[in-house]
């Protein structure tokens, strides 16, 4: 586990993890989430990814469904946690807030940040926003992720 990581090390790990997460089924089949690396900060333990919202993600009101938003936030926090642990980090719990609608057919960014990095669990936060308005948060979450050795999960 890394609590001291350079930005360049984090970028290298993230760029390696992202394609493998899709191959291993972390994105449900057919969803086509395809997260893309935007930026990271090793000192701040922060990772920014972007996603394209698509018509299939719509709720009855014509904006992105809350369940899809949850997946984007969870995927981003889990990716950051995995980058720091060099292994899968299952979600233990997650709290979500949806202050504004997320538009369809847009590129959205999610900035994940490690708050507490522990031996058995870690706490993270993530904010979803449009790149042209990074201070206007559309949705945000906090999550707790297991950082235990997988052999200890039984």
């Amino acid at each position: 586990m890394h609590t001291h990581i350079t930005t360049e090390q984090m970028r290298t790990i993230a760029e390696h993890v992202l394609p493998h997460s899709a191959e291993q089924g972390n994105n449900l089949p057919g969803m086509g989430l395809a997260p893309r690396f935007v930026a990271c900060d090793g000192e701040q333990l922060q990772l920014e990814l972007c996603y394209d919202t698509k018509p299939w993600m719509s709720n009855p009101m014509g904006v992105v469904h809350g369940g899809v938003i949850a997946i984007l936030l969870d995927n981003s926090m889990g990716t950051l946690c995995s980058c720091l642990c060099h292994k899968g980090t299952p979600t233990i719990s997650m709290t979500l807030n949806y202050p504004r609608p997320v538009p369809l057919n847009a590129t959205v960014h999610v900035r994940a940040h490690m708050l507490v990095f522990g031996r058995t669990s870690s706490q993270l936060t993530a904010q979803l926003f449009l790149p042209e308005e990074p201070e206007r948060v559309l949705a945000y979450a906090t999550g707790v992720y297991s950082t235990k050795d997988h052999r200890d999960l039984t």
Side-chain angles (χ1 to χ4, degrees):
M1 296 196 298
H2 287 5
T3 54
H4 301 289
I5 186 170
T6 68
T7 297
E8 201 50 48
Q9 288 170 323
M10 183 183 285
R11 179 186 184 110
T12 299
I13 295 167
E15 288 177 340
H16 177 76
V17 167
L18 287 172
H20 293 300
S21 88
E23 290 170 14
Q24 294 172 359
N26 292 343
N27 297 321
L28 298 175
M31 291 185 77
L33 295 180
R36 297 181 307 280
F37 178 86
V38 174
C40 65
D41 185 326
E43 186 175 315
Q44 297 295 317
L45 300 179
Q46 192 166 286
L47 175 66
E48 187 172 324
L49 303 176
C50 68
Y51 303 83
D52 294 323
T53 61
K54 299 175 179 160
W56 71 262
M57 298 175 174
S58 181
N59 68 13
M61 294 176 285
V63 295
V64 178
H65 188 282
V68 174
I69 295 168
I71 292 170
L72 302 180
L73 292 164
D74 183 36
N75 187 64
S76 298
M77 291 186 288
T79 299
L80 173 57
C81 201
S82 292
C83 285
L84 297 172
C85 291
H86 298 285
K87 62 183 175 188
T89 54
T91 308
I92 295 171
S93 66
M94 190 168 64
T95 302
L96 301 146
N97 293 279
Y98 306 95
R100 296 180 177 91
V102 175
L104 294 169
N105 302 312
T107 297
V108 297
H109 286 217
V110 178
R111 185 180 309 113
H113 180 101
M114 178 71 69
L115 298 172
V116 177
F117 191 61
R119 188 180 59 76
T120 60
S121 67
S122 291
Q123 298 175 29
L124 293 90
T125 185
Q127 298 177 329
L128 186 147
F129 56 93
L130 295 170
E132 59 272 14
E133 297 180 282
E135 301 305 318
R136 188 171 184 259
V137 175
L138 306 180
Y140 61 98
T142 58
V144 178
Y145 293 78
S146 175
T147 54
K148 278 184 166 182
D149 188 313
H150 290 297
R151 295 170 292 198
D152 298 335
L153 292 176
T154 56

